[in-house]
Amino acid sequence: MLEITDISKTFNPGTINEKQALRDVSLTLQDGDFATIVGSNGAGKSTLFNAIAGSFIVDEGAIILDGKDITFEKEHRRAVYIGRLFQDPLMGTAPHMTIEENLSVAYLRASQHKAMFSRITKKEKELFREQLSLLHMGLEDRMTQPVGLLSGGQRQALTLLMATVVTPKLLLLDEHTAALDPATADKVLTLTRDIVSERRITCLMVTHNMNQALEMGNRTLMMDSGRIVLDVSGKEREKMTVEDLLMAFAKNAGSSLDNDRILLSTKKDREA
């Protein structure tokens, strides 16, 4: 369970570049909740993720994960139980290390009963092979190859596996399919949906695709100017169309969504 209470963050306070990136944001996710987040550039989506992951300490408010206050905990300590994927497939893996070595590092980091420099057992290597086979990309037969030889889609799928090889308490997905071609993006999204559902992982996913925002998970959040201005779930969300979502955003935010990338993707989905 994730509980965020009234967190705020201002960068460069007292200067000409002062920017209030988060404004009294509160959010509660129950165990197994999968919430998608939509918003324009600068709305605060990635800043919210950085606050949760510990990239900086918030100015005000509290962040509680499974009953533990992590508001002032260091980023590397939070990484033990918070998995994260970025938009760039090159982030999150070490290109000169093999697939097996990358999985080993991720496994040891997230395994609290293991020391960081422990040896990976034969049983654990079999676990890696089994998990890789679920990706249906043939990576289980390439475990000794450097990750740098993989395609963007293969690398992002591997990163997803690394983030969940030990089930995290929370998974943060920051437009993790945006840099992939449509076919590969669909495959990675399917993998995401299956892994999150089967393991009941509490998950937040940023997307610029309005249809994805309504189809993936069980909640949809919309952000504007550092605030969560819309939070829909249940039957209300099930009945919503993209147009309904845009209208609700405009009503709550006080202005229409003006992000060309989001609106263009919505137009393409309508025409498809």
Side-chain angles (χ1 to χ4, degrees), residues 2 4-5 26 32 42 49 64 76 83 87-88 111 130 147 150 165 175 181 199 213 224 231 243 252 258:
L2 175 68
I4 297 173
T5 306
S26 294
F49 275 19
I64 312 293
H76 71 276
Q87 179 176 333
D88 186 352
S111 299
E130 178 185 333
V147 167
L150 303 182
V165 65
E175 293 199 77
D181 65 82
R199 311 248 195 113
D224 179 65
D231 182 353
E243 287 75 14
N252 290 9
D258 61 357

Side-chain angles (χ1 to χ4, degrees), residues 109-210:
R109 180 184 63 194
S111 299
Q112 298 188 36
H113 64 285
K114 286 267 192 179
M116 188 59 200
F117 297 102
S118 300
R119 291 179 63 87
I120 293 295
T121 66
K122 183 178 180 180
K123 182 179 180 180
E124 288 161 346
K125 289 182 180 180
E126 285 302 313
L127 170 66
F128 298 162
R129 186 178 181 84
E130 178 185 333
Q131 292 293 309
L132 286 166
S133 68
L134 299 178
L135 303 179
H136 303 294
M137 293 181 172
L139 299 185
E140 67 273 17
D141 298 319
R142 300 173 60 184
M143 289 178 62
T144 59
Q145 291 188 3
V147 167
L149 298 178
L150 303 182
S151 68
Q154 290 171 330
R155 197 157 173 170
Q156 201 68 311
L158 174 61
T159 307
L160 175 62
L161 184 57
M162 289 169 61
T164 57
V165 65
V166 175
T167 303
K169 293 182 179 180
L170 179 67
L171 182 61
L172 304 176
L173 305 172
D174 197 348
E175 293 199 77
H176 68 304
T177 62
L180 306 178
D181 65 82
T184 305
D186 286 345
K187 190 166 188 176
V188 172
L189 279 174
T190 299
L191 289 170
T192 301
R193 183 186 285 111
D194 291 346
I195 290 174
V196 170
S197 174
E198 289 169 7
R199 311 248 195 113
R200 283 191 52 78
I201 299 172
T202 305
C203 180
L204 281 167
M205 185 182 88
V206 171
T207 178
H208 68 273
N209 186 300
M210 300 290 281

Side-chain angles (χ1 to χ4, degrees), residues 39-77:
S40 301
N41 293 335
K45 308 180 300 297
S46 293
T47 307
L48 175 62
F49 275 19
N50 286 335
I52 295 170
S55 301
F56 56 77
I57 301 299
V58 295
D59 299 332
E60 299 175 356
I63 303 172
I64 312 293
L65 185 59
D66 281 0
K68 179 182 179 182
D69 189 338
I70 63 171
T71 309
F72 300 102
E73 193 168 47
K74 298 291 186 181
E75 184 173 17
H76 71 276
R77 293 190 179 279

